[in-house]
């Protein structure tokens, strides 16, 4: 599966998440499935950054914000582990 396709699937899952815990689980699963590949995470983060608040409801917007925080944590953990 291409990077963009996988990232779009994750975005759809994030739109449906009902809690911060679900969002964290989705991002964790994404990271595990991509073996913490930074390119995949950067592409996902880029797609999330380009989502307009007008395209989603307040819960979805919150989910995307939490997802970006989780992705940032992945980058931080990766840097610390290196």
């Amino acid at each position: 599966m291409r990077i963009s396709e996988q990232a779009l699937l994750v975005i759809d899952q994030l739109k449906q998440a009902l809690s911060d815990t679900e969002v964290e689980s989705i991002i964790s699963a994404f990271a595990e499935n991509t073996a913490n590949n930074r390119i995949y995470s950067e592409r996902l983060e880029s797609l999330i950054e380009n989502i307009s608040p007008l395209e989603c409801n307040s819960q979805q917007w919150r989910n995307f914000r939490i997802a970006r925080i989780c992705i940032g944590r992945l980058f931080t953990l990766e840097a610390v582990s290196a």
Side-chain angles (χ1 to χ4, degrees), residues 8-56:
L8 291 173
L9 288 174
V10 172
I11 287 173
D12 285 340
Q13 292 174 346
L14 291 171
K15 284 182 178 179
Q16 297 174 23
L18 300 175
S19 69
D20 295 354
T21 306
E22 277 186 65
V23 171
E24 291 173 9
S25 295
I26 292 166
I27 297 300
S28 292
F30 172 77
E32 288 175 17
N33 289 337
T34 59
N36 288 323
N37 189 324
R38 190 173 185 106
I39 295 170
Y40 281 80
S41 297
E42 287 174 351
R43 181 64 180 147
L44 176 60
E45 186 174 32
S46 174
L47 288 172
I48 290 172
E49 285 175 357
N50 291 322
I51 295 173
S52 168
L54 300 174
E55 297 175 19
C56 50

